[in-house]
Amino acid sequence: MNLKPETLLRIDEAITHYPVKRSATLPLLHLIQEDIGHIPDEAIEWVAAKLELQPINVYEVVTFYPMFKRKPIGRRHIKVCRTLSCALMGGYKVCDTFKKEFGVELDEVTPDGGTTIEFVECLASCGTAPVVMIDDDLHENVTPEKARELAAQIKAGTAVRK
Ligand code: FES
């Protein structure tokens, strides 16, 4: 595993927060994904060894939670909500717009490694549907026109405005 030194320090520190090493599984996986962008097999084995678990114990956690990615995703991550409120308010059209703008299907990475689009479950902002998260920022009441504007900002490498 080729983790940054600061990630290794944060991992060792995180383990001290729990009376049982196993309880640090989720924090360690978050730290690794934050560092290298996804959770490869090697990371599962590494975490298992670090926490004195079997790899299957870590694998079942990684595959249960959709926020953990098993393969690399783009540097920019667009998450379009597909749950009921957003679906009724046009979330599928918004998602199609992003796919068309970037020329990729869901969960693919654009050829430049820049962007991945994902359809996700409720983002807890149903009253402002349809909603989209770009990286860690929530965008509300997103229309196809707004999606085109956001895509243009991402392609231009400018800050994405809400
Ligand atoms: S249904 Fe989309 S945020 Fe809840």
Side-chain angles (χ1 to χ4, degrees), residues 81-87 121-127 129-131:
C81 176
R82 68 177 172 196
T83 309
L84 189 59
S85 296
C86 288
E121 300 304 333
C122 184
L123 291 168
S125 186
C126 317
V131 298

Side-chain angles (χ1 to χ4, degrees), residues 63-134:
T63 55
F64 179 79
Y65 292 104
M67 70 268 198
F68 292 124
K69 303 299 168 207
R70 295 283 287 128
K71 56 184 187 179
I73 62 170
R75 292 184 298 278
R76 307 302 303 269
H77 189 191
I78 301 170
K79 288 173 270 189
V80 182
C81 176
R82 68 177 172 196
T83 309
L84 189 59
S85 296
C86 288
L88 289 172
M89 295 301 288
Y92 280 70
K93 282 187 184 155
V94 168
C95 192
D96 285 344
T97 302
F98 278 119
K99 284 163 51 181
K100 193 171 164 197
E101 287 295 315
F102 288 99
V104 289
E105 291 300 316
L106 294 174
D107 302 317
E108 291 180 353
V109 182
T110 53
D112 63 354
T115 307
T116 296
I117 303 160
E118 186 180 10
F119 232 176
V120 299
E121 300 304 333
C122 184
L123 291 168
S125 186
C126 317
T128 58
V131 298
V132 172
M133 279 197 83
I134 299 178

Side-chain angles (χ1 to χ4, degrees), residues 20-40:
V20 179
K21 278 187 170 185
R22 178 187 197 120
S23 302
T25 304
L26 276 174
L28 264 57
L29 292 170
H30 280 294
L31 287 167
I32 290 171
Q33 184 159 282
E34 191 181 307
D35 187 329
I36 62 174
H38 67 295
I39 309 289

